[in-house]
Amino acid sequence: MEIRAAEDIEIRTDLFPPLSPLASSLYDSFLSSHCSSCFSLLPPSPPQPLYCSAACSLTDSFTNSPQFPPEITPILPSDIRTSLHLLNSTAVDTSSSPHRLNNLLTNHHLLMADPSISVAIHHAANFIATVIRSNRKNTELEEAAICAVLTNAVEVHDSNGLALGIALYNSSFSWINHSCSPNSCYRFVNNRTSYHDVHVTNTETSSNLELQEQVCGTSLNSGNGNGPKLIVRSIKRIKSGEEITVSYIDLLQPTGLRQSDLWSKYRFMCNCGRCAASPPAYVDSILEGVLTLESEKTTVGHFDGSTNKDEAVGKMNDYIQEAIDDFLSDNIDPKTCCEMIESVLHHGIQFKEDSQPHCLRLHACHYVALNAYITLATAYRIRSIDSETGIVCDMSRISAAYSLFLAGVSHHLFCAERSFAISAAKFWKNAGELLFDLAPKLLMELSVESDVKCTKCLMLETSNSHRDIKEKSRQILSCVRDISQVTWSFLTRGCPYLEKFRSPVDFSLTRTNGEREESSKDQTQLKVIIKEEEATEGQVGIIIPFEKLESLPLSHLPDLKASTTGMLYHFHD
């Protein structure tokens, strides 16, 4: 199944009005803090348990049923609750075959043939049949409902990116296929938010998918009218007849992890252009990028390496991920988390190659490093709240530095893969909020008042043109680069890892082994002109070895793919 555009669609266009879910459910950890119907935050004294209003409580027919169904690994209680609501929905045709439920593909035959999950589905179906007091001879329909949820439900995030629960939408959305380089994205609004408050572009978009609405045979706005509404928006220009695609998973992962994620969750392997690229696309190479440097004179903070480079990289990844997981599970405090992660980011790991010791470090854009920056920004922010007055500013300052660095890295990736726009925008927003939070603390320390506004990039007019958006992006980046030349050394003071980098938007190292400055001569030697006759007018072909990727100037936007010896780019003069 697929959905294609019936006409040309410009960037930043909402493809259809907000969709109400067929069924939804909060995760267990949010049942006491958010409304089980609309997912809004509960008031201090809610009129009804689990609901923000009496109206929301009337939408749930299973109010008196078990609110905490058993966890039947790998099926979560939220999956079971959503399946219950789906079967109770008047919009669902319960006479459908197990392979389809109201035009939704269930993958029933695939999931029930998989022994790793089929037993759990069967147990969950028995539980649901008991709750709804089914008198059918088998639980095939209940199994189909669970399979439909597992196959089609999406995770609902709030404005801060926090995953609150899951929701299932009709075929208008569920028929949209996945791509690792999608042309559209989706977001959520709750019933308390007016569509016109968030719909800031062309409102006459219902005809964009008119052909597909006829194919689906369902109303674009069908649903139970409650729960978090979903809006699909184009993030690239889409031509008439082109397939609409979104991403089902985190795109800031290399190909192997994306494929594994898709198979474990949805039982298919992606064959989009990004996944099938050979050699790999630039972003997939750099998301697994590592730097091989001369071994540092000191071994303080280093970890025992090996003679195998891949094994050494795996050890670094595992150590950082373990620290992140322990921090998120409250098994270690924020200070310990920062020390563990930063020791690996800063020092890397030693390994021997040809009997010579070398030092491996993750590239600034490595996918594990991205997760580390997110965790470090959070950990330092928590430390700023819990710290003594004297070091509050220091903790806030380093938190803002990591957030700003993450925004710069994501912008670099966005320049190579435009579908990263949502992630980049979120990281820039978070960085801005932390910098705004830091400013009054600094002013309070200095006992001065300031009302400084940037005339270069703030309050830019909104535009739909792809060219205009590119130009505004460059203006903002230029502004950040100018500011960072002055502020970066201040923000990163006392943070050895970030002090290595020239700025949050230029990943050139100020020192490669803790003491030697990179010279302009070193930078020049990286560039080797190749196949100039194949370059188009105004372009030059160059190769930059993988281990020298950190010195790539961000002002040059990578536009091609990996070669066997390094990264091949065409840069506009």
Side-chain angles (χ1 to χ4, degrees), residues 279-569:
Y282 168 76
V283 290
D284 288 311
S285 296
I286 203 170
L287 282 170
E288 292 187 289
V290 293
L291 304 173
T292 304
L293 306 172
E294 293 179 8
S295 181
E296 296 186 10
K297 293 179 179 179
T298 174
T299 58
V300 175
H302 283 233
F303 302 94
D304 293 334
S306 65
T307 57
N308 184 290
K309 185 175 180 179
D310 291 338
E311 182 182 336
V313 173
K315 283 186 177 181
M316 279 195 295
N317 294 351
D318 292 344
Y319 190 87
I320 292 176
Q321 194 57 55
E322 182 181 346
I324 293 173
D325 293 341
D326 285 344
F327 171 67
L328 296 177
S329 303
D330 292 328
N331 293 330
I332 58 175
D333 58 68
K335 182 179 180 182
T336 303
C337 172
C338 293
E339 291 172 349
M340 292 176 66
I341 294 176
E342 287 178 318
S343 64
V344 180
L345 290 177
H346 179 50
H347 294 290
I349 191 170
Q350 286 185 339
F351 82 109
K352 286 187 177 182
E353 189 174 55
D354 299 329
S355 301
Q356 295 296 319
H358 294 278
C359 178
L360 280 180
R361 280 213 301 265
L362 299 181
H363 188 276
C365 296
H366 195 283
Y367 76 97
V368 173
L370 300 183
N371 292 332
Y373 306 149
I374 296 171
T375 304
L376 288 168
T378 303
Y380 272 107
R381 181 172 56 80
I382 294 174
R383 291 175 68 182
S384 73
I385 298 171
D386 298 338
S387 298
E388 298 175 1
T389 306
I391 61 172
V392 167
C393 282
D394 288 340
M395 298 296 101
S396 297
R397 176 171 51 78
I398 297 176
S399 174
Y402 271 113
S403 189
L404 183 59
F405 191 67
L406 175 63
V409 169
S410 67
H411 191 97
H412 178 76
L413 294 169
F414 158 71
C415 289
E417 173 53 68
R418 296 290 166 176
S419 58
F420 291 166
I422 304 305
S423 296
K426 180 181 72 174
F427 293 143
W428 278 118
K429 174 177 176 287
N430 293 342
E433 289 174 348
L434 286 176
L435 288 169
F436 274 119
D437 182 58
L438 174 64
K441 295 178 182 177
L442 296 175
L443 293 175
M444 192 177 300
E445 266 200 358
L446 298 172
S447 299
V448 297
E449 294 184 4
S450 176
D451 183 22
V452 180
K453 293 183 179 179
C454 176
T455 58
K456 286 182 67 175
C457 66
L458 290 184
M459 305 301 292
L460 292 173
E461 292 183 3
T462 302
S463 61
N464 292 334
S465 164
H466 178 69
R467 179 177 296 177
D468 287 348
I469 290 173
K470 245 180 139 177
E471 180 57 32
K472 301 304 182 188
S473 175
R474 286 175 179 161
Q475 287 181 32
I476 293 172
L477 188 63
S478 173
C479 179
V480 173
R481 186 182 291 113
D482 291 345
I483 294 172
S484 65
Q485 289 176 354
V486 180
T487 62
W488 184 242
S489 59
F490 164 72
L491 289 174
T492 60
R493 190 175 62 209
C495 181
Y497 174 68
L498 291 180
E499 284 179 328
K500 289 176 179 283
F501 299 98
R502 298 186 187 278
S503 84
V505 291
D506 179 0
F507 311 132
S508 303
L509 295 176
T510 57
R511 293 176 294 279
T512 56
N513 62 1
E515 57 182 31
R516 182 174 66 85
E517 293 282 339
E518 262 185 358
S519 67
S520 57
K521 182 179 179 181
D522 292 333
Q523 300 279 350
T524 308
Q525 290 175 341
L526 298 179
K527 300 186 178 183
V528 181
I529 303 299
I530 62 163
K531 296 184 179 179
E532 192 168 356
E533 67 277 6
E534 294 184 6
T536 58
E537 184 177 355
Q539 294 182 321
V540 178
I542 68 172
I543 276 187
I544 299 179
F546 284 117
E547 64 271 15
K548 296 295 186 180
L549 279 173
E550 279 203 48
S551 59
L552 177 67
L554 188 64
S555 57
H556 299 308
L557 304 183
D559 195 33
L560 286 183
K561 49 191 177 182
S563 70
T564 55
T565 57
M567 301 304 298
L568 172 64
Y569 302 99

